[in-house]
């Protein structure tokens, strides 16, 4: 044996030793290692996804209207958590936002991943979708409002990749945008503009805008603040606007898949009409949906909810000349791929 080790090169010796160690492990030993290793891997993935989501979280411009009976002094336009009032009941949110509950800023997110890209969904909740037009009080208002966006980030060898495009929800329509100088071209959908980037905390973030009252969302400045408004910025704390024209309010990201969170609440009949994602409403006419039910009715083969559940498919239909673009997920909790 001494002679064998003496004649072997260092790489060959290392390979032999590694093989000996693996052979000495029983099948039971390897099986016992898997859950621990898998748990650590999952925890690392969740932590990275949160950092990834913060890296590309938008600087968000929320227009605010204080007029009419339902504005609550502008508070009806503040973004907040769906359980801002301490419960997961959807039929008391309209009234409770007018009470003493603070509209602490939260934004929901989820991440999907292929070998070439990350896809990040951001969802903004308002307790009221409202109007100041008396003729629309029972036709153009409803309790609970969810609108949002999906961004696609190319893996380019850097830690958090390079932003490429974004799709936003504007009521029953989606709007799509690419970064400046993009090689992506119109496919089934027509590109609606260019993403404006803003430096925040020494990093460049996409910018978005929410209209007042109905809360349709587009890239900024395609929707902009008119008069009063809130500038929300990504942070680790849930800030509360000090007034309807506060231009520096931090919002906190909340994972859709956190234990006991939004995804797990989909069977809660006090919040959802069904697990498919339709939110209950006790006021007005119409309703809103969770991200896994957002739908643009005329965007080809993209089905309802696929902006969140199958974003690779959506971007592949919206655009062409994508370069290397994998459609197979290695991480997508909506599809049970963990």
């Amino acid at each position: 044996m001494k002679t064998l080790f003496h004649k072997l090169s260092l790489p060959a010796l290392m390979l032999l030793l590694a093989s000996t160690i693996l052979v000495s492990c029983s099948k039971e030993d390897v099986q016992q290692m898997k859950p621990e290793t898998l748990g650590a891997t999952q925890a690392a993935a969740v932590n990275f996804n949160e950092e990834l989501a913060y890296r590309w979280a938008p600087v968000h411009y929320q227009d605010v209207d204080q007029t009419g009976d339902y504005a609550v002094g502008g508070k009806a336009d503040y973004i907040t958590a769906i359980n801002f009032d301490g419960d997961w009941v959807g039929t008391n949110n309209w009234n409770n936002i007018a009470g003493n509950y603070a509209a602490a800023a939260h934004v929901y997110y989820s991440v999907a991943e292929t070998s070439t890209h990350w896809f990040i969904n951001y969802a903004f909740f308002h307790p009221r979708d409202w109007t100041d037009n008396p003729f629309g009080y029972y036709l153009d208002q409803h309790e609970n409002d969810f609108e949002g966006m999906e961004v696609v980030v190319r893996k380019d060898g850097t830690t958090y990749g390079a932003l490429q495009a974004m799709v936003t929800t504007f009521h029953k329509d989606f709007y799509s945008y690419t970064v400046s100088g993009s090689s992506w071209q119109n496919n089934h959908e027509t590109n609606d503009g260019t993403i404006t980037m803003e430096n925040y905390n020494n990093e460049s973030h996409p910018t978005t805008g929410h209209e007042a009252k109905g809360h349709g969302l587009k890239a900024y400045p395609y929707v902009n603040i008119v008069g009063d408004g809130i500038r929300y910025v990504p942070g680790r704390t849930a800030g509360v606007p000090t007034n309807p024209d506060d231009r520096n309010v931090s919002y906190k990201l909340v994972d859709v898949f956190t234990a006991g969170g939004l995804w797990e609440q989909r069977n809660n009949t006090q919040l959802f009409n069904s697990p498919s994602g339709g939110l209950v409403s006790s006021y007005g006419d119409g309703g809103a949906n969770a991200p896994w039910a957002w739908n643009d009715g005329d965007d080809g083969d993209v089905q309802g909810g696929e902006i969140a559940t199958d974003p690779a498919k959506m971007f592949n239909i919206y655009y062409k000349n994508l370069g290397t673009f994998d459609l197979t997920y290695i991480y997508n909790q909506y599809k049970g791929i963990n």
Side-chain angles (χ1 to χ4, degrees), residues 94-311:
W94 180 277
N95 289 328
N96 285 348
I97 195 60
N100 294 322
Y101 297 99
H106 293 76
V107 174
Y108 296 89
Y109 79 93
S110 59
V111 175
E113 180 183 358
T114 68
S115 67
T116 59
H117 289 79
W118 292 292
F119 305 87
I120 314 168
N121 184 273
Y122 299 95
F124 302 78
F125 176 77
H126 298 83
R128 294 184 177 188
D129 181 307
W130 64 284
T131 181
D132 56 2
N133 183 348
F135 296 102
Y137 280 176
Y138 296 101
L139 299 175
D140 196 28
Q141 297 189 131
H142 58 80
E143 188 170 25
N144 302 318
D145 195 18
F146 244 140
E147 309 236 12
M149 55 190 280
E150 186 86 21
V151 301
V152 55
V153 178
R154 178 173 56 88
K155 296 179 179 179
D156 65 351
T158 62
T159 302
Y160 300 118
L163 181 69
Q164 290 196 287
M166 173 172 71
V167 172
T168 70
T169 65
F170 193 88
H171 309 305
K172 295 181 180 181
D173 294 303
F174 292 174
Y175 286 79
S176 51
Y177 309 88
T178 54
V179 295
S180 178
S182 174
S183 64
W184 288 21
Q185 299 173 343
N186 296 337
N187 193 18
H188 186 280
E189 294 292 300
T190 300
N191 190 57
D192 294 296
T194 302
I195 300 171
T196 299
M197 306 298 289
E198 181 173 327
N199 189 62
Y200 178 71
N201 276 353
N202 298 316
E203 292 179 327
S204 185
H205 290 259
T207 56
T208 48
H210 243 140
E211 63 176 0
K213 297 177 285 193
H215 306 136
L217 192 153
K218 293 183 179 181
Y220 174 89
Y222 300 96
V223 167
N224 202 346
I225 291 174
V226 181
D228 293 337
I230 309 297
R231 174 178 171 268
Y232 288 104
V233 295
R236 307 293 170 150
T237 58
V240 178
T242 57
N243 60 73
D245 198 34
D246 192 337
R247 299 303 174 98
N248 191 36
V249 180
S250 171
Y251 67 79
K252 182 179 181 179
L253 289 179
V254 180
D255 189 345
V256 167
F257 294 97
T258 193
L262 189 63
W263 178 249
E264 288 193 8
Q265 294 295 327
R266 69 192 185 280
N267 293 306
N268 176 2
T269 57
Q270 291 185 299
L271 185 62
F272 289 104
N273 291 315
S274 73
S276 62
L279 290 162
V280 299
S281 175
S282 68
Y283 189 87
D285 182 70
N289 297 302
W292 58 89
W294 290 342
N295 189 31
D296 181 323
D298 61 355
D299 57 354
D301 291 332
V302 181
Q303 303 301 307
E306 288 185 334
I307 184 175
T309 64
D310 198 353

Side-chain angles (χ1 to χ4, degrees), residues 5 7-19:
F5 280 149
K7 291 182 179 180
L8 285 174
S9 64
L10 181 58
L13 177 59
M14 294 175 66
L15 180 61
L16 177 61
L17 290 173
S19 301

